[in-house]
Amino acid sequence: LKQSLRDLLEMRLQISGRISRLALLEFNHQTRQRFPREGGMAQLDAGSPAHELDEFRHGVALLRPSGTTNIGNALHAAANLLYQHGRTGNEKRIVLVSDGADWSPKGETGSGEVVYAVQEPVSLMAHLHRDMGIRFTAIGIGTEELFRRRGTYEPTPAVVPNHALLEELVKVGGGDPTTVGGLDILEDYFSGLAG
């Protein structure tokens, strides 16, 4: 992921005049903005000041996998950025890179409950796509098979990669389901996004 983001920056540095704004968020049980540090969104291209480029590189270097995941909070934070700092005429898109762990579908047992949207990311993403025009792309990294090869203990289901959530989010968020799959598509996706 870090290398793909560095490559995205290098490609953006070859382009000028096309306004693309972005922000970089890291999430586990909480969401932190890694770029721009002062909040909001920034334009990265050939005309960007050196300090902004260094700040993006530093934000990428700070990314670390840790703890549980709360995808609902991450979607909410990203949508707030797009709402507050997006530009008219620009496409609004959230790109989520995750293993999808720490989620299980509610099924029939969830009916009749009052659930906050950030606790039910599929409903939240459906709302964001329908009412705010935000498109969603997920890049699913890790697989259950690879995860289980790493250890001899029986992990709790909450830490095992699960792309089912990502696939549901893509379905309701107007995204491209081919980007759910693994690390092999990271480089291709981010180079296309940069262009």
Side-chain angles (χ1 to χ4, degrees):
L1 173 62
K2 289 181 180 185
Q3 186 57 51
S4 296
L5 288 169
R6 286 190 288 265
D7 292 346
L8 175 142
L9 176 61
E10 293 310 312
M11 290 187 74
R12 289 295 309 155
L13 292 179
Q14 298 171 26
I15 299 170
S16 61
R18 186 167 177 212
I19 299 172
S20 296
R21 297 169 54 76
L22 63 92
L24 182 61
L25 304 175
E26 175 186 65
F27 71 98
N28 49 26
H29 63 281
Q30 62 185 11
T31 303
R32 290 167 299 288
Q33 185 160 345
R34 293 299 187 195
F35 175 81
R37 271 188 297 229
E38 71 281 352
M41 297 175 79
Q43 179 177 326
L44 290 179
D45 62 16
S48 296
H51 75 276
E52 231 170 53
L53 303 176
D54 290 341
E55 188 181 319
F56 181 79
R57 289 182 184 107
H58 183 70
V60 169
L62 289 175
L63 294 175
R64 301 269 185 279
S66 66
T68 60
T69 54
N70 190 328
I71 290 174
N73 277 346
L75 292 174
H76 190 263
N80 275 340
L81 279 172
L82 288 168
Y83 178 74
Q84 293 176 13
H85 303 284
R87 293 266 169 96
T88 305
N90 277 11
E91 179 185 29
K92 295 180 216 156
R93 178 175 297 271
I94 294 173
V95 179
L96 178 80
V97 179
S98 175
D99 62 4
D102 204 15
W103 178 81
S104 59
K106 298 253 185 253
E108 295 300 315
T109 62
S111 63
E113 293 179 30
V114 174
V115 178
Y116 292 103
V118 294
Q119 295 173 323
E120 185 18 62
V122 176
S123 300
L124 175 60
M125 192 61 241
H127 161 71
L128 295 174
H129 179 61
R130 181 185 62 244
D131 299 337
M132 291 181 62
I134 296 173
R135 294 179 58 85
F136 177 81
T137 299
I139 301 176
I141 56 172
T143 63
E144 184 174 348
E145 177 189 5
L146 289 172
F147 182 83
R148 291 191 184 277
R149 273 196 252 159
R150 294 175 64 195
T152 55
Y153 69 99
E154 184 58 33
T156 63
V159 298
V160 177
N162 177 355
H163 294 185
L165 170 62
L166 303 180
E167 290 165 0
E168 287 299 312
L169 289 167
V170 166
K171 201 181 302 179
V172 301
D176 179 2
T178 59
T179 56
V180 174
L183 289 168
D184 52 323
I185 56 112
L186 268 173
E187 186 175 84
D188 287 343
Y189 182 77
F190 279 113
S191 63
L193 190 64

